[in-house]
């Protein structure tokens, strides 16, 4: 019997993929032909709807409910992932907790929670998926933040954890070479936090040379590029900030 020459479908996993930026990444990769797993925590309804949308587009889709504050979350996610998929090409560490964390208010548990979500579990997920990613010459994209290099005092602990993720990105890019690329994306603003006051938006945008916020699509298109054509790019933190970092 002739061997099939059909190429296997690539698979991506996106943490925090039910809404906002994560959802745009999921939809962009699905549109490019990837089958998709994504994690979510509280957005059950959005997750269910997104799975239906992806399946209607003939993509295999799996939503995994997981709390990334749990130190074992990566193992739990990987086990569920493997029950459906036998390969992984792209891991996007997107889930995040934008927690106000000024010097006067942050406590040790909250500090640890931010580091568990933004640093520990992205690293643990890379370890869980290392062999699949190496086997398929895969890509890791970590969602960092411009605040990792320009910290806001009101979000001290959040900023340190994103700086940790930026550093982890560089370390992992060396560790997982030459088979796997590892990059970070550092947005300025691409989706406003809910309830972000209008006056604060205007104030922020005054310092953005392009004069406007970015969009989830800006990020999703870059993830897609890094996950497909950008195969000679690794160990980079790419700003998507309308030029905010130079003002
Ligand atoms: N939005 C921006 O303009 C901007 C700017 C700079 C950096 N970024 C970075 O870009 C990424 C996406 O931004 P975003 O604004 O779309 O993020 P987001 O809405 O703040 O968070 C994304 C998802 O993370 C999930 N999440 C929160 N806590 C979790 C936990 N304990 N366990 C598992 N999942 C958890 C939530 O899932 P559920 O909804 O299911 O609970 C949420 O939908 C983030 O990493 C963010 O730091 C975004």
């Amino acid at each position: 019997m002739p061997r099939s020459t059909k190429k296997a479908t690539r698979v991506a996993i996106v943490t925090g993929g039910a809404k906002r930026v994560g959802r745009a990444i999921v939809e962009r990769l699905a549109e490019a032909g990837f089958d998709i797993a994504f994690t979510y925590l509280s957005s059950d309804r959005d997750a269910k709807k997104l799975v239906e949308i992806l399946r209607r587009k003939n993509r295999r889709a799996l939503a995994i409910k997981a709390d990334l504050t749990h130190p074992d979350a990566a193992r739990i996610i990987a086990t569920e992932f493997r029950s459906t998929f036998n390969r992984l090409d792209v891991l996007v560490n997107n889930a995040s907790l934008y927690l106000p964390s000024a010097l006067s208010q942050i406590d040790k548990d909250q500090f640890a929670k931010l580091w568990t979500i933004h640093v520990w579990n992205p690293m643990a997920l890379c370890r869980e998926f290392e062999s699949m990613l190496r086997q398929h010459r895969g890509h890791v994209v970590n969602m960092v933040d411009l605040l990792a290099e320009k910290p806001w005092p009101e979000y001290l602990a959040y900023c340190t954890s994103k700086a940790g993720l930026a550093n982890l990105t560089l370390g992992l890019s060396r560790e997982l070479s030459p088979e796997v690329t590892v990059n970070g994306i550092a947005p300025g603003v691409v989706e406003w936090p809910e309830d972000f006051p209008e006056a604060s938006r205007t104030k922020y945008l005054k310092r953005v040379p392009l004069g406007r916020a970015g969009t989830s699509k800006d990020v999703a298109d870059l993830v897609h590029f890094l996950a497909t054509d950008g195969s000679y790019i690794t160990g980079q933190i790419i700003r998507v900030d309308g030029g905010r970092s130079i003002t």
Side-chain angles (χ1 to χ4, degrees):
M1 210 153 78
R3 293 248 307 267
S4 167
T5 52
K6 194 169 174 267
K7 265 178 102 179
T9 303
R10 289 166 300 171
V11 181
I13 184 166
V14 180
T15 64
K19 290 200 316 200
R20 291 166 56 87
V21 178
R23 180 183 174 133
I25 296 169
V26 164
E27 293 195 308
R28 181 67 186 88
L29 293 177
E31 183 193 310
F34 284 80
D35 285 337
I36 302 282
F38 67 89
T39 76
Y40 67 98
L41 178 61
S42 61
S43 297
D44 299 72
R45 205 182 306 164
D46 294 277
K48 192 165 172 258
K49 242 193 265 166
L50 183 54
V51 166
E52 285 165 10
I53 289 169
L54 296 171
R55 288 184 182 158
R56 272 205 299 275
K57 291 180 177 166
N58 292 324
R59 302 266 55 92
R60 282 195 302 160
L62 174 69
I64 302 170
K65 189 173 173 92
D67 184 351
L68 288 164
T69 61
H70 194 293
D72 274 345
R75 193 179 43 75
I76 295 162
I77 291 166
T79 304
E80 199 167 334
F81 176 89
R82 286 194 205 98
S83 68
T84 300
F85 297 109
N86 61 5
R87 66 178 285 155
L88 183 68
D89 300 83
V90 177
L91 162 64
V92 184
N93 286 305
N94 168 79
S96 179
L97 184 60
Y98 191 56
L99 186 73
S101 39
L103 187 62
S104 58
Q105 67 187 147
I106 190 73
D107 66 34
K108 203 173 158 204
D109 287 345
Q110 288 170 321
F111 193 88
K113 198 176 188 176
L114 288 166
W115 276 75
T116 306
I117 296 174
H118 295 144
V119 188
W120 168 253
N121 271 311
M123 183 165 71
L125 281 168
C126 281
R127 191 160 60 191
E128 290 290 340
F129 290 121
E130 177 178 356
S131 63
M132 278 184 174
L133 287 167
R134 282 194 195 275
Q135 191 185 346
H136 298 289
R137 304 195 78 81
H139 308 279
V140 176
V141 181
N142 293 327
M143 289 307 301
V144 185
D145 194 311
L146 197 60
L147 298 181
E149 58 175 298
K150 282 184 170 289
W152 279 353
E154 297 82 0
Y155 286 82
L156 272 186
Y158 170 86
C159 295
T160 66
S161 67
K162 287 291 186 173
L165 180 60
N167 187 276
L168 178 70
T169 302
L170 308 193
L172 284 175
S173 72
R174 297 185 68 186
E175 170 68 25
L176 298 179
S177 283
E179 294 89 359
V180 180
T181 73
V182 185
N183 292 290
I185 296 177
V189 172
V190 291
E191 285 270 357
W192 294 103
E194 277 150 28
D195 304 329
F196 201 69
E198 203 52 50
S200 307
R201 295 182 190 208
T202 309
K203 190 174 163 207
Y204 175 85
L205 291 179
K206 278 197 178 130
R207 297 200 54 191
V208 177
L210 291 185
R212 59 180 170 80
T215 64
S216 292
K217 183 179 181 305
D218 293 320
V219 169
D221 286 343
L222 180 54
V223 171
H224 171 252
F225 175 75
L226 292 171
T228 52
D229 293 329
S231 56
Y232 197 57
I233 300 173
T234 197
Q236 305 302 310
I237 310 292
I238 302 172
R239 302 181 187 105
V240 179
D241 67 350
R244 170 67 184 84
S245 48
I246 57 165
T247 62

